[in-house]
Amino acid sequence: MEKWYGSTGPDGDIVISTRIRLARNLRSLPFKEKITKKQQSELNDRVRDSLKRANLGENKWSLLYLQELDDLERLSLVERHLVSHSFIEEPENKLLILSEDQAVSVMVNEEDHLRLQTLASGLSLEPAYEACSRLDDLLDESLDYAFDDVLGYLTVCPTNLGTGLRASVMLHLPALERAQIIPQLIKSVSRLGLTIRGSYGEGTGVVGATYQVSNQVTLGLSEKTAISNLQNVVRQIIENERAVRKELLKNNIDIIDEICRSYGVLRHARLLTGNEFHSHASNVRLGISEGVLDGVSIPTMNALLNRVGTATICAGHGQRLNPKERDYARAKVVRDAL
């Protein structure tokens, strides 16, 4: 079955992906600091049984018990944005329930009892939220969430109280980055209750001019309001990026040459570090979007983002590779794709 990133999605020239994540806890079980191993195991069974009623059609569920995976396989899940890094730190009794297209997942025994997640290509906030909400309603029928009439959904971390919603959009912003507008943008969106971070959220660096924009406020407003606010701000960022791109590439042979050289490196390199890949891939994405390059597509570049992480490359070979072996393997994956 084709993975969720197999299509471009709305505004896919700039928006790589959309993610909706909901934090939920059960009323009948203690929260993280008090829950026992036996209760965690019970929770795994209850969630698994509840999801048997979810009709995904041909898109079937798979069950991944983290303690049965090796370190590389667990880190690969983080690299592909399927789980949080904190989820893999203590793998015992951790269960990931994942759809075949990898668009829908449930982390069981994360910081909260459940983290429901949907992923989609491009700017797809409403469809991604609707899919996550349907799954949320189905689970609530049999699991009975911890909910307070004033505080909303009860969560381990107070910052998730209320809706328990984290909506985020992954944006490719090479023009705004080159124009040194990002610091100003970060200040502007923070005043609106949003945040801009690196590709893997809080405390992570930026690679390949890729930025994650997400909501911060979960208490005192509805899910739909939070999503609408995020969508409006993201659309403004998209318009700004497109305008700056046009100016950047207008009769600028240096930038066009840089784009074409990056395409040449990715197509022919025999050794490719992770940082080199992201830098050149950023240029290639820009070249595709602005009509400088043909013969390569945005979905191809999106797929590569999910295949070239350090742990993912090693997991694909079933062993830890030394840096040169890893860079050789990464370069081959990229050459074959292009």
Side-chain angles (χ1 to χ4, degrees):
M1 172 171 285
E2 185 178 68
K3 300 296 187 286
W4 66 268
Y5 45 78
S7 59
T8 304
D11 297 298
D13 56 326
I14 293 172
V15 183
I16 298 172
S17 62
T18 295
R19 181 177 66 185
I20 298 292
R21 185 180 288 174
L22 297 174
R24 299 290 187 259
N25 289 280
L26 275 60
R27 191 185 303 274
S28 59
L29 290 174
F31 284 15
K32 181 180 178 182
E33 298 303 322
K34 298 291 186 179
I35 194 168
T36 66
K37 299 296 182 184
K38 182 179 179 181
Q39 288 170 324
Q40 286 182 322
S41 181
E42 173 194 336
L43 176 59
N44 285 334
D45 293 340
R46 290 178 63 182
V47 176
R48 183 196 62 209
D49 292 343
S50 295
L51 285 176
K52 287 180 180 178
R53 299 184 294 111
N55 182 13
L56 298 182
E58 296 180 359
N59 190 13
K60 303 184 185 305
W61 294 113
S62 60
L63 305 180
L64 300 175
Y65 291 91
L66 292 200
Q67 61 198 53
E68 297 177 2
L69 305 180
D70 63 30
D71 290 346
L72 292 172
E73 291 170 320
R74 291 194 287 265
L75 282 169
S76 176
L77 293 173
V78 177
E79 289 178 346
R80 291 178 286 147
H81 296 280
L82 297 176
V83 303
S84 62
H85 199 282
S86 61
F87 186 60
I88 70 170
E89 289 177 349
E90 298 176 4
E92 186 180 1
N93 285 322
K94 300 286 183 67
L95 170 63
L96 173 65
I97 305 176
L98 183 64
S99 66
E100 190 175 358
D101 66 356
Q102 300 183 357
V104 184
S105 61
V106 181
M107 286 171 270
V108 189
N109 288 309
E110 212 251 20
E111 177 181 67
D112 294 288
H113 291 156
L114 302 177
R115 290 287 174 91
L116 316 182
Q117 176 177 287
T118 51
L119 290 164
S121 289
L123 183 57
S124 304
L125 280 164
E126 290 183 4
Y129 171 70
E130 289 171 4
C132 204
S133 182
R134 286 194 299 271
L135 179 62
D136 185 40
D137 290 342
L138 183 147
L139 289 172
D140 192 22
E141 288 177 7
S142 56
L143 298 178
D144 188 20
Y145 293 147
F147 184 85
D148 180 86
D149 290 339
V150 175
L151 297 175
Y153 291 101
L154 302 182
T155 55
V156 171
C157 182
T159 59
N160 289 321
L161 277 172
T163 61
L165 170 74
R166 280 286 180 268
S168 62
V169 177
M170 199 77 73
L171 298 166
H172 181 228
L173 304 176
L176 293 179
E177 185 177 82
R178 285 173 183 261
Q180 300 181 350
I181 295 174
I182 300 296
Q184 176 186 335
L185 188 62
I186 291 173
K187 291 180 181 178
S188 297
V189 302
S190 68
R191 300 189 192 105
L192 301 173
L194 304 177
T195 183
I196 298 181
R197 292 169 173 156
S199 304
Y200 291 91
E202 187 174 3
T204 62
V206 175
V207 292
T210 301
Y211 297 83
Q212 183 175 266
V213 185
S214 59
N215 68 304
Q216 281 186 303
V217 180
T218 62
L219 187 62
L221 75 171
S222 69
E223 292 94 333
K224 291 189 176 181
T225 299
I227 287 170
S228 177
N229 292 344
L230 178 59
Q231 176 123 337
N232 291 337
V233 170
V234 168
R235 288 204 179 281
Q236 292 180 44
I237 295 173
I238 289 171
E239 290 176 10
N240 290 338
E241 172 68 19
R242 284 184 179 144
V244 177
R245 283 185 184 190
K246 286 183 180 178
E247 289 300 314
L248 181 68
L249 270 75
K250 187 187 297 183
N251 302 319
N252 192 333
I253 191 63
D254 291 330
I255 296 294
I256 293 172
D257 181 65
E258 186 178 333
I259 288 169
C260 294
R261 285 174 181 270
S262 286
Y263 185 42
V265 169
L266 294 186
R267 284 197 65 181
H268 299 289
R270 262 48 185 178
L271 294 173
L272 200 60
T273 68
N275 285 339
E276 285 175 329
F277 166 77
H278 286 291
S279 176
H280 292 303
S282 176
N283 287 337
V284 169
R285 286 185 67 94
L286 177 61
I288 297 168
S289 300
E290 299 306 306
V292 175
L293 298 174
D294 54 23
V296 60
S297 68
I298 291 293
T300 296
M301 301 308 296
N302 288 347
L304 281 172
L305 289 175
N306 285 269
R307 297 178 58 200
V308 300
T310 295
T312 303
I313 288 289
C314 293
H317 284 71
Q319 61 179 321
R320 291 189 180 277
L321 304 175
N322 66 43
K324 181 166 285 191
E325 291 171 334
R326 192 171 61 227
D327 294 346
Y328 180 82
R330 179 183 293 109
K332 186 177 187 311
V333 167
V334 175
R335 286 200 316 275
D336 289 348
L338 298 183

